[in-house]
Amino acid sequence: MGTARHNLRVDGARLWSTLMETAAFGATPAGGINRLTLSPADGQVRNWFRDACEAAGLTVGTDELGTQFALRPGRDSTRPPVATGSHLDTQPTGGRFDGILGTLAGLEVVRTLNDAGLETEAPILIVNWTNEEGSRYAPATMASAAHVGTFTTADILARTDAEGVSVADALRTLDIVATEPTGSRAIGAFVELHIEQGPILEAEDKTIGVVEGGQGILWFDGTITGFESHAGTTPMPRRRDALLGLAEIALAVERIAHAHGPSAVGTLGEAVIGAPSRNVIPGRVRFTLDIRDPRAATLDAIDAELRTALAEIAGRRNLGFTLDLVWRQEPVPFDPGIVALIERGAESLGLPHRRMVSGASHDACNLALKVPTAMIFVPCKDGISHNEAESATQSDCTAGADLLLQTLVTLANAPVAAARG
Ligand code: HGY
Ligand code: MN
Ligand code: MN
């Protein structure tokens, strides 16, 4: 096999057909995907991915959290692989591109190298990280976080979903058996392709986002305790209504995020009334918060302001509350060398591009803590994501995959010392 050349291009139609084919696993009537991590639909797409990788000559391993690693050998097997990939799990109201584009573009890169009969110096690795989304199990990106040592495998295996099903139980139900310990897989560099999930690239008519890092994130679990009582006989002034407390908290989150704008964002995404009943005043509410900003100091300030606001609301309404920080991800910079390599690649391919910071979290934000890492974004329609209407074009997905191909091949063939882009 010869050495890979930079004028290679992926087969965009083949990439697109894999995106549409795998969208069938967990397809929703509205044209999206509901494929929660380690659900039966996730099991189906994992088997599809394993079979497609093996058909492309890759060797597929699985770690203790179900993450799939598909390896294409290189000329020099002593070099750590250059890795790509993303995730195949989705939100309940997921689309066809979030995570899926990055994982299947990795497969398309390998298929293109195979078609051209080209070998790289370092091996190439495609990764499907378990539970990037964090919807069924918190936190998001839990498997790549465990890979880099932020969480222990035992801690993550014990995490349970709303029905009390643990990660370990869900893996067993899908007959997912580990072939290697978590964190044992060597990775020399990681480059992830993803849709932007925001409006900037489309608004500026750019094809490529050259991602310089990821913003910081705080996830909270909260409860509010009031007092259940009769909806017909309890006078308004005597009520301790937990849901009204939550309503004020939601508005406080919005106010505080605006106050730290334009970069800060705050979301109250889950709210559950304990024992809901039409004619009972809500006495218990469970809720979650998602707070993000590129500045660590701002995250600290928002954390403090939230606690002050909750104490004031609870005091005035005679309610109890708890607010537990369950996940903090620091703002993370990506590798400047690989960022510059991606930028040069976009220029050489004639792709309009701009540098940017990721508003969403990604597995790359964890990998960046341990290995040289960067990301490539492509636009999505109206910036919509985590919505069944999520949409991207074949042309943009193909352009992103071409740039990914070029970046991976350059890194894999770089002299060992310079394999940082
Ligand atoms: O929440 C996120 O940023 C990612 O989509 N899991
Ligand atoms: Mn994603
Ligand atoms: Mn997502």
Side-chain angles (χ1 to χ4, degrees):
M1 293 222 254
T3 301
R5 302 181 308 277
H6 286 181
N7 57 4
L8 269 180
R9 295 292 182 271
V10 299
D11 179 335
R14 179 171 59 188
L15 170 58
W16 192 258
S17 75
T18 58
L19 288 164
M20 297 305 114
E21 180 183 350
T22 53
F25 303 124
T28 63
I33 302 178
N34 177 4
R35 195 160 71 203
L36 293 182
T37 193
L38 301 178
S39 63
D42 188 27
Q44 290 173 315
V45 78
R46 286 166 168 272
N47 293 338
W48 181 97
F49 178 67
R50 177 204 59 219
D51 296 347
C53 287
E54 288 175 346
L58 305 181
T59 308
V60 182
T62 306
D63 77 7
E64 294 163 281
L65 299 178
T67 291
Q68 294 175 299
F69 298 96
L71 184 71
R72 182 180 198 259
R75 193 174 286 121
D76 179 354
S77 61
T78 66
R79 288 178 61 161
V82 172
T84 187
S86 189
H87 60 95
L88 294 173
D89 66 306
T90 77
Q91 291 286 341
T93 56
R96 300 180 173 204
F97 301 91
D98 173 0
I100 308 156
L101 172 60
T103 310
L104 299 187
L107 174 62
E108 177 53 35
V109 163
V110 165
R111 286 172 164 176
T112 301
L113 290 172
N114 289 349
D115 292 347
L118 293 173
E119 193 176 25
T120 53
E121 284 302 319
I124 298 284
L125 183 70
I126 315 170
V127 190
N128 168 29
W129 297 104
T130 295
N131 190 33
E132 187 281 343
E133 291 292 1
S135 176
R136 181 180 181 188
Y137 298 103
T141 70
M142 72 178 192
S144 54
H147 178 85
V148 299
T150 304
F151 300 105
T152 65
T153 300
D155 172 3
I156 296 298
L157 286 172
R159 299 286 174 112
T160 55
D161 65 11
E163 277 70 50
V165 178
S166 70
V167 170
D169 290 341
L171 287 164
R172 261 191 299 276
T173 302
L174 292 183
D175 294 327
I176 295 174
V177 178
T179 58
E180 59 192 73
T182 308
S184 62
R185 176 69 62 147
I187 292 178
F190 185 68
V191 183
E192 180 172 358
L193 171 64
H194 206 287
I195 52 171
E196 177 201 343
Q197 301 179 290
I200 297 169
L201 293 177
E202 186 184 58
E204 296 184 6
D205 212 13
K206 296 286 192 301
T207 308
I208 295 293
V210 181
V211 190
E212 297 182 284
Q215 68 177 339
I217 300 178
L218 301 178
W219 274 17
F220 296 94
D221 284 349
T223 64
I224 303 165
T225 308
F227 188 74
E228 279 97 8
S229 61
H230 198 299
T233 59
T234 310
M236 295 308 283
R238 293 169 65 100
R239 295 180 176 212
R240 294 173 55 207
D241 188 328
L243 190 59
L244 290 181
L246 182 75
E248 286 206 55
I249 288 168
L251 293 173
V253 168
E254 182 188 39
R255 173 179 53 78
I256 293 168
H258 273 298
H260 291 277
S263 56
V265 289
T267 309
L268 192 159
E270 292 179 69
V272 178
I273 298 174
S277 173
R278 187 188 308 272
N279 50 358
V280 176
I281 297 163
R284 281 165 293 135
V285 174
R286 179 180 67 75
F287 65 97
T288 63
L289 298 183
D290 176 316
I291 306 293
R292 306 194 193 196
D293 191 275
R295 301 157 299 180
T298 301
L299 295 176
D300 296 333
I302 292 176
D303 184 328
E305 290 165 35
L306 280 173
R307 294 180 190 282
T308 304
L310 264 68
E312 189 281 325
I313 292 163
R316 179 163 37 81
R317 287 181 170 274
N318 191 13
L319 301 170
F321 80 94
T322 62
L323 187 70
D324 298 317
L325 180 65
V326 295
W327 182 40
R328 176 172 178 132
Q329 182 164 67
E330 297 302 329
V332 59
F334 289 155
D335 182 82
I338 300 182
V339 171
L341 176 65
I342 290 169
E343 192 167 50
R344 291 196 303 272
E347 279 152 16
S348 71
L349 290 170
L351 299 172
H353 58 280
R354 59 156 284 166
R355 288 184 174 229
M356 60 199 305
V357 171
S358 175
S361 175
H362 300 283
D363 294 304
C365 298
N366 289 319
L367 272 290
L369 301 176
K370 293 284 184 195
V371 299
T373 295
M375 291 187 76
I376 299 167
F377 278 173
V378 293
C380 53
K381 188 165 178 348
D382 301 329
I384 293 171
S385 185
H386 286 192
N387 181 301
E388 293 165 279
E390 181 186 278
S391 170
T393 66
Q394 179 173 332
S395 140
D396 286 345
C397 291
T398 302
D402 278 335
L403 181 52
L404 179 69
L405 166 65
Q406 178 166 291
T407 304
L408 295 175
V409 164
T410 303
L411 288 172
N413 288 340
V416 175
R420 290 181 65 93

